[in-house]
Amino acid sequence: MVGDLTHYLYSNNMLRYIEGYVQKVNPGKAPQVVGALLDSEASDEFVNNLILSVRSLIPVEQLCAEVEQRNRLKLLNPFLEHLVSEGSHDPHVHNALGKIIIDSNNNPEHFLTTNPYYDSLVVGKYSEKRDPNLACVAYKRGNCDDALVDCTNRHSLFKVQARYIVERMDSDLWNKVLQEDNQFRRQLIDQVNSTALPESRNPEQVSVAVKAFMLAGLQGELIELLEKIVLQNSSFSNNHNLQNLLIITAIKADKSRVKDYINRLDNFDGPAVGEIAVGYEMFEEAFEIYKKFGLKSQAIKVLLDHQNDLDRAFEYAGKVDEPAVWSELGHAQLDNGLVAEAIASYLRSNDTSRSSDVIERSKESGSYEDLVKYLIMVRKKAKDSKVDTELVYAYAKTKQLGPLEEFISSPNQANLQSVGDRIFDEGLYEAARILFAHIPNYGRLASCLVRLHQFQPAVEAARKANSPRTWKEVCYACVDENEFRLAQLCGLNIIINADDLEEVSQFYQQRGYFDELIALMESGIGLERAHMGIFTELGILYAKYKVEKLMEHLKLFSTRINIPRLIRVCEEFHHWKELVFLYVQYDEYDNAAMVMMNHSPVAWEHVLFKDVAVKVSSVEVYYKAISFYLEEHPDLLNDLLKVLEARIDHSRVVSILRKADHLPLVKDYLIAVQKGNLAAVNDAVNELLIEEEDFKGLRDSITTYDNFDQLSLAAQLEKHELMEFRRISAFIYKKALRWRKAVALAKQDKLYKDAMETAAQSAEPEIAEELLHYFVDNGERECFAASLYTCYDLIKPDVAMEIAWQNGLTDLAMPFMIQFMKDYVGKVDTLMADRKENMEARKDADSKQKEQQAQSNAYLNLMPLALPAPPVAGDQGFGGAPSYGGAQGFGGSGGFGGSQSYGGPQAGYGQF
């Protein structure tokens, strides 16, 4: 739209409007205006003037794009130079300026290398089609690696690429160009080897290049590179690292060149390279390297460790004749089992560094005589505890007891305890006895004496050692030899330690010495240091082997035994009576009760069971006890229930007994707990009373305790053959408010008094009237009169007079009518008195109201004349016509004295 407008204005020579739009209206649209002017072939002078008139307000990036599309970038040269002179650092300005300089070939290299503001990627891309070398210069300046590599690959500028990559020293870039999928890798490597690296004088550049070749796995190419650098008199020919790398690379890639490199190069790291050669199994080359650098020990190690050539190593050691070499040879001979030869080599090298290995190998081969000689040599050179110790051991192994006693009596650093333990384990008890007696170690001495069957001295040594382990060892040995007196002396010193008691007991029992063990424990409980374990163990032994003593032991020492442990033992061996005793002592009353019930022939006692039952914590045990007593001791069940009365659920007890059909058995219990007024108990008691036909007890029960199924019991008793029970049924119906049912039952048994009382209590006039009709119909005249009296409040006078008049019973009804008239007149008198009191109270209220009104009017007269007077009460005020004494008052036609008074013809007695 802007282009069309510009074209129209320019075509109509309206240039001032174009300038006005750009300068004042919308400078941001200047690029589109310039593009439209160029399309309209406007003069360069007008366009430049237009651009310069806007200057910094114009968007440079869009302007350059519009002009570049039309290949007219040179047109912007004055504008761009003007912006640069003003100090513009806009990359778009410098990009456009660089493109102009490249197109004009006005020393573009200088601009590309010195200008810091242009975008290298943009300018380089622009230069590729014009001059790839200039593009590389731009890319190099901006480190545009990918763009430069791509440009040089497409234009075959591999020398430029190689120099750039070497100078760049970027591992990632090297890795990218040396990848196997790079089709130009070979050309690049050739240029690196022939041009870039030989020209380089920077060691870091060479190092990075070599590392890149190594990471890429180009071993052959790396060797070519290093040979060119190191062997062809370059500035890096004597470089230590490069020589190392050349030899190492050859070791890895081309082993045939290694010996030649070793002979030609002198400034490499011999120890390190030799070690690498060994790692690649190039032993001869490694041997030559060590020889060249005078590393004799490493050289003989190659012969010994890798080539395993002892003869050649012995020959080489003889030529060198150095202690270190002889030592290495001795080590190898020792490792190969040549102990004598190794000792000879060590003697020539005067080396005692592997004395421990020599000692071990000598012991393995049994060469203790040779070992003595070697240890004497070592002992002269250094005082060492291990040497003296092994020398003592060698004397013992050769059974030279005389020299042994002489040596240990002289100053030495031998660990006699260690040697004594070793020879003791090997069965050299006589030599061990000498050492332990010299230390002294009475515990081990006792062990030796036991092995030598000297038991009395062994007991004495154990007493001096006073160690549980020693006492046990001597004790067990005495038991095995049937020396029970000595064994008991030892055992008393063992069992005072609770941790060792069970072990001693097991030892005796496994060999069947039960009586001796019991005797030991019985002696042990009399010791001053006797502990709970001894008493417990003795109880266990009694449980296993002498049951008759168990209960007495438990009763005597119940506070000093481990009750849980004895509980398990008694349970295992079925000592139920003792088990109950233990449970009671341990306050586990539930378990005690269960044992007595489960094993009643042996464990049950009624008195004990009652004592235990009251302390039981689990409720289920109570009911199991009830079932137990039902089955085995029903005659004592009431006694048990009496004890458990406060702890059991009586409803559940009734359920249990009902299922067992033994409710009569616990009648005393049920009556005793009926005070709780539980439905199950009440039902059970009532059932028993019905079975016993105890109607007095039943009436007392249902009267006192009302928590039972009343209707069910009433229905049950309704058809009972005894009248008293049917009467109780009517009583229950009456309590359940089943009045008609109760009256019907009373009428059925002609219990008219009960029927009249029930009707009176029902407060239902219909029931009373029905009862009157029943008496009249059945000719019960006296009962009719009694009903009027009993149901006085329920029977209407008109109903009573009607029935009496119709059936000729007016005389019988007259007392009822007289009483009714008396009550009626009394009520009228009371109402009249109340009316009179109310009228007097109203008159008093009216007088008080008039006084208050008069006071109010007096107050109004005292008010100032200037103020408006308050409104005075008129005809509708407090003293108006509708007063309490008006025509509508109590004495009016609708009042108490009106035509509808109690004596009126409509409500008077004349109706009767």
Side-chain angles (χ1 to χ4, degrees):
M1 184 175 181
V2 173
D4 295 339
L5 176 62
T6 303
H7 181 71
Y8 172 78
L9 295 175
Y10 182 79
S11 299
N12 291 282
N13 200 23
M14 302 172 72
L15 303 182
R16 293 185 62 185
Y17 291 98
I18 295 175
E19 293 175 353
Y21 176 76
V22 172
Q23 294 172 2
K24 297 180 181 180
V25 177
N26 194 351
K29 295 294 184 179
Q32 291 89 327
V33 174
V34 171
L37 291 174
L38 293 177
D39 292 339
S40 300
E41 298 182 356
S43 64
D44 294 348
E45 181 181 0
F46 176 72
V47 174
N48 275 325
N49 291 334
L50 181 64
I51 293 172
L52 291 174
S53 66
V54 183
R55 284 186 292 185
S56 60
L57 298 178
I58 191 170
V60 178
E61 181 180 3
Q62 299 180 15
L63 177 63
C64 294
E66 292 287 343
V67 177
E68 186 177 355
Q69 288 177 4
R70 295 162 177 81
N71 297 322
R72 300 289 301 275
L73 269 177
K74 290 184 180 180
L75 177 67
L76 299 177
N77 193 34
F79 170 66
L80 297 174
E81 289 180 350
H82 176 74
L83 293 178
V84 171
S85 65
E86 289 182 349
S88 174
H89 295 167
D90 188 353
H92 303 293
V93 174
H94 294 273
N95 290 345
L97 189 60
K99 293 177 183 179
I100 294 172
I101 293 174
I102 291 170
D103 287 339
S104 62
N105 198 21
N106 184 16
N107 194 12
E109 292 84 355
H110 179 266
F111 175 83
L112 295 176
T113 55
T114 59
N115 189 296
Y117 305 114
Y118 72 90
D119 188 337
S120 299
L121 194 61
V122 175
V123 176
K125 192 70 175 177
Y126 184 81
S127 303
E128 280 193 28
K129 296 180 180 179
R130 292 159 178 80
D131 188 349
N133 290 311
L134 294 179
C136 291
V137 172
Y139 291 145
K140 181 178 178 181
R141 172 261 186 189
N143 293 332
C144 303
D145 300 336
D146 295 339
L148 188 143
V149 170
D150 181 65
C151 178
T152 52
N153 285 338
R154 286 190 286 104
H155 297 91
S156 300
L157 300 175
F158 299 111
K159 184 179 293 186
V160 175
Q161 182 179 346
R163 287 172 177 165
Y164 172 76
I165 293 173
V166 170
E167 294 175 2
R168 186 78 170 82
M169 294 186 294
D170 189 336
S171 300
D172 295 335
L173 180 58
W174 273 109
N175 181 46
K176 180 178 179 180
V177 299
L178 292 179
Q179 287 182 356
E180 189 175 355
D181 58 353
N182 183 9
Q183 59 179 339
F184 304 105
R185 183 174 70 171
R186 183 69 257 177
Q187 294 90 325
L188 174 64
I189 292 173
D190 292 341
Q191 292 299 326
V192 170
N193 291 341
S194 62
T195 304
L197 284 180
E199 292 176 354
S200 175
R201 297 294 179 267
N202 187 347
E204 184 65 23
Q205 294 178 355
V206 177
S207 175
V208 173
V210 169
K211 290 180 181 177
F213 274 73
M214 292 173 63
L215 292 174
L218 302 172
Q219 304 293 342
E221 290 80 356
L222 180 59
I223 291 174
E224 294 176 8
L225 172 63
L226 293 174
E227 281 186 347
K228 195 170 189 65
I229 296 174
V230 176
L231 299 179
Q232 295 183 5
N233 296 324
S234 69
S235 58
F236 300 103
S237 297
N238 292 323
N239 187 279
H240 175 75
N241 294 329
L242 294 179
Q243 288 191 9
N244 289 338
L245 185 59
L246 177 58
I247 298 176
I248 294 170
T249 306
I251 290 172
K252 296 179 180 179
D254 192 354
K255 297 181 179 180
S256 61
R257 301 185 184 186
V258 176
K259 277 196 176 181
D260 180 51
Y261 292 155
I262 293 172
N263 295 327
R264 294 177 62 181
L265 301 176
D266 298 320
N267 193 24
F268 62 91
D269 188 348
V273 175
E275 186 175 350
I276 294 173
V278 170
Y280 282 86
E281 299 183 354
M282 301 181 68
F283 305 122
E284 286 296 334
E285 287 80 357
F287 181 71
E288 292 297 330
I289 292 172
Y290 289 138
K291 282 177 61 179
K292 183 173 184 176
F293 284 86
L295 303 173
K296 300 172 183 177
S297 297
Q298 287 86 338
I300 197 170
K301 282 183 179 179
V302 173
L303 297 176
L304 295 172
D305 298 341
H306 303 290
Q307 294 184 319
N308 199 21
D309 192 346
L310 293 177
D311 296 334
R312 186 177 174 188
F314 181 77
E315 180 182 354
Y316 179 73
K319 291 179 181 179
V320 175
D321 195 20
E322 290 186 0
V325 178
W326 283 114
S327 295
E328 293 295 336
L329 179 59
H331 299 335
Q333 291 171 335
L334 185 64
D335 292 338
N336 284 274
L338 303 174
V339 180
E341 291 82 352
I343 291 176
S345 297
Y346 286 135
L347 292 175
R348 295 187 68 174
S349 64
N350 199 23
D351 183 9
T352 61
S353 60
R354 295 190 63 182
S355 59
S356 300
D357 293 337
V358 173
I359 292 170
E360 294 298 328
R361 296 300 174 87
S362 298
K363 289 192 293 185
E364 291 175 3
S365 61
S367 303
Y368 289 103
E369 294 180 359
D370 296 333
L371 179 61
V372 169
K373 298 176 183 179
Y374 176 76
L375 293 177
I376 291 173
M377 182 271 291
V378 175
R379 194 166 186 268
K380 291 178 181 178
K381 188 175 181 181
K383 301 296 182 182
D384 187 5
S385 174
K386 184 176 182 180
V387 173
D388 291 353
T389 301
E390 294 301 329
L391 185 56
V392 172
Y393 179 73
Y395 279 136
K397 290 292 289 185
T398 56
K399 298 183 180 179
Q400 301 178 28
L401 302 182
L404 174 62
E405 291 185 4
E406 182 181 355
F407 179 78
I408 63 177
S409 299
S410 62
N412 63 84
Q413 298 182 9
N415 188 345
L416 299 181
Q417 180 66 44
S418 175
V419 177
D421 292 338
R422 288 164 61 188
I423 61 178
F424 177 85
D425 295 337
E426 295 176 10
L428 302 174
Y429 301 122
E430 209 46 66
R433 181 187 62 79
I434 294 172
L435 293 180
F436 290 133
H438 177 78
I439 293 175
N441 186 336
Y442 295 110
R444 300 298 278 173
L445 177 60
S447 300
C448 293
L449 293 172
V450 166
R451 301 305 190 279
L452 296 172
H453 295 278
Q454 300 176 17
F455 296 109
Q456 187 64 44
V459 173
E460 295 299 326
R463 182 175 287 108
K464 293 179 181 180
N466 196 23
S467 167
R469 188 188 67 81
T470 305
W471 281 119
K472 286 190 287 186
E473 184 178 3
V474 177
C475 176
Y476 297 161
C478 292
V479 171
D480 290 335
E481 295 295 330
N482 293 330
E483 295 286 345
F484 294 112
R485 183 183 62 82
L486 296 176
Q488 184 170 346
L489 291 176
C490 298
L492 291 174
N493 289 279
I494 300 172
I495 63 176
I496 58 176
N497 297 317
D499 296 335
D500 301 323
L501 174 62
E502 186 174 355
E503 181 181 348
V504 173
S505 177
Q506 290 296 329
F507 185 84
Y508 271 87
Q509 292 182 64
Q510 288 172 0
R511 286 154 181 78
Y513 301 131
F514 308 123
D515 294 336
E516 289 78 4
L517 178 59
I518 291 174
L520 173 61
M521 295 299 170
E522 288 176 345
S523 300
I525 62 175
L527 295 175
E528 183 179 354
R529 295 177 59 188
H531 52 80
M532 179 181 289
I534 299 176
F535 293 93
T536 304
E537 191 65 29
L538 181 57
I540 294 173
L541 294 174
Y542 283 150
K544 291 181 178 179
Y545 311 115
K546 289 188 177 182
V547 182
E548 63 275 8
K549 291 187 176 183
L550 178 58
M551 181 59 80
E552 181 184 0
H553 178 72
L554 296 179
K555 291 180 179 179
L556 289 175
F557 305 109
S558 60
T559 60
R560 304 196 65 181
I561 60 176
N562 185 342
I563 294 179
R565 189 177 176 192
L566 272 174
I567 285 174
R568 292 193 296 272
V569 173
C570 291
E571 187 174 359
E572 180 182 356
F573 291 96
H574 299 175
H575 302 319
W576 307 119
K577 192 170 184 179
E578 291 79 1
L579 182 60
V580 170
F581 176 80
L582 290 173
Y583 275 135
V584 171
Q585 294 298 317
Y586 200 55
D587 295 338
E588 291 193 5
Y589 302 106
D590 296 38
N591 292 332
M594 293 303 298
V595 170
M596 282 193 281
M597 288 187 288
N598 294 333
H599 307 282
S600 58
V602 179
W604 176 81
E605 291 181 8
H606 179 60
V607 176
L608 177 60
F609 191 88
K610 287 197 301 180
D611 294 340
V612 171
V614 297
K615 301 175 182 178
V616 166
S617 59
S618 175
V619 179
E620 293 300 322
V621 177
Y622 298 146
Y623 306 112
K624 292 180 181 178
I626 293 171
S627 300
F628 166 74
Y629 267 76
L630 273 175
E631 294 178 2
E632 299 191 14
H633 306 284
D635 55 325
L636 300 175
L637 181 57
N638 272 304
D639 193 17
L640 175 66
L641 291 173
K642 183 179 179 181
V643 173
L644 301 179
E645 178 179 336
R647 296 173 175 82
I648 56 178
D649 182 359
H650 305 302
S651 300
R652 186 171 177 180
V653 173
V654 170
S655 176
I656 293 172
L657 294 170
R658 190 183 297 278
K659 289 180 181 178
D661 197 20
H662 288 302
L663 273 178
L665 191 65
V666 293
K667 179 181 178 182
D668 295 340
Y669 156 74
L670 294 174
I671 293 174
V673 300
Q674 196 178 8
K675 58 181 177 290
N677 197 21
L678 298 176
V681 176
N682 292 337
D683 290 339
V685 171
N686 294 339
E687 181 180 340
L688 293 176
L689 293 174
I690 292 172
E691 289 181 2
E692 297 174 0
E693 297 185 352
D694 184 1
F695 58 87
K696 292 183 179 179
L698 180 60
R699 179 176 287 273
D700 291 341
S701 174
I702 63 177
T703 303
T704 307
Y705 310 106
D706 58 352
N707 188 9
F708 61 92
D709 189 352
Q710 297 181 355
L711 298 181
S712 176
L713 180 61
Q716 180 183 355
L717 297 176
E718 182 179 344
K719 299 178 181 180
H720 200 280
E721 60 184 4
L722 295 180
M723 183 182 67
E724 287 297 332
F725 286 100
R726 295 196 299 274
R727 189 178 182 187
I728 292 173
S729 175
F731 175 73
I732 294 172
Y733 278 128
K734 183 170 63 173
K735 289 183 64 177
L737 306 182
R738 298 292 186 90
W739 309 107
R740 295 184 183 279
K741 190 70 174 176
V743 171
L745 285 176
K747 290 190 296 185
Q748 178 181 340
D749 291 328
K750 297 185 178 182
L751 299 174
Y752 298 135
K753 180 180 180 181
D754 292 348
M756 288 185 284
E757 291 176 352
T758 301
Q761 292 177 11
S762 69
E764 294 184 10
E766 294 180 0
I767 295 176
E769 292 176 4
E770 291 175 359
L771 186 61
L772 284 178
H773 287 290
Y774 173 80
F775 287 145
V776 171
D777 294 339
N778 288 276
E780 300 291 342
R781 297 168 58 85
E782 293 79 6
C783 291
F784 173 78
S787 294
L788 291 176
Y789 173 76
T790 305
C791 302
Y792 173 78
D793 294 330
L794 301 178
I795 298 174
K796 296 179 180 180
D798 57 340
V799 174
M801 289 305 296
E802 181 181 356
I803 295 173
W805 178 68
Q806 290 177 351
N807 296 282
L809 302 175
T810 304
D811 293 340
L812 295 175
M814 190 54 62
F816 168 78
M817 294 305 302
I818 293 170
Q819 181 64 35
F820 179 78
M821 290 298 295
K822 180 182 181 301
D823 293 341
Y824 194 82
V825 172
K827 291 178 182 179
V828 172
D829 293 342
T830 302
L831 289 174
M832 293 301 295
D834 291 341
R835 178 175 177 277
K836 184 176 181 181
E837 291 176 0
N838 290 336
M839 292 180 65
E840 291 176 356
R842 182 164 297 184
K843 289 179 180 180
D844 294 339
D846 290 342
S847 62
K848 289 181 181 180
Q849 185 177 6
K850 290 179 181 180
E851 291 177 1
Q852 291 176 358
Q853 184 68 31
Q855 292 177 0
S856 175
N857 292 334
Y859 174 76
L860 292 176
N861 293 330
L862 296 175
M863 294 295 291
L865 297 176
L867 296 177
V872 180
D875 294 337
Q876 301 298 324
F878 291 95
S883 62
Y884 289 101
Q888 301 297 327
F890 285 100
S893 59
F896 289 101
S899 60
Q900 296 184 6
S901 62
Y902 291 97
Q906 296 182 1
Y909 294 126
Q911 184 179 358
F912 294 95

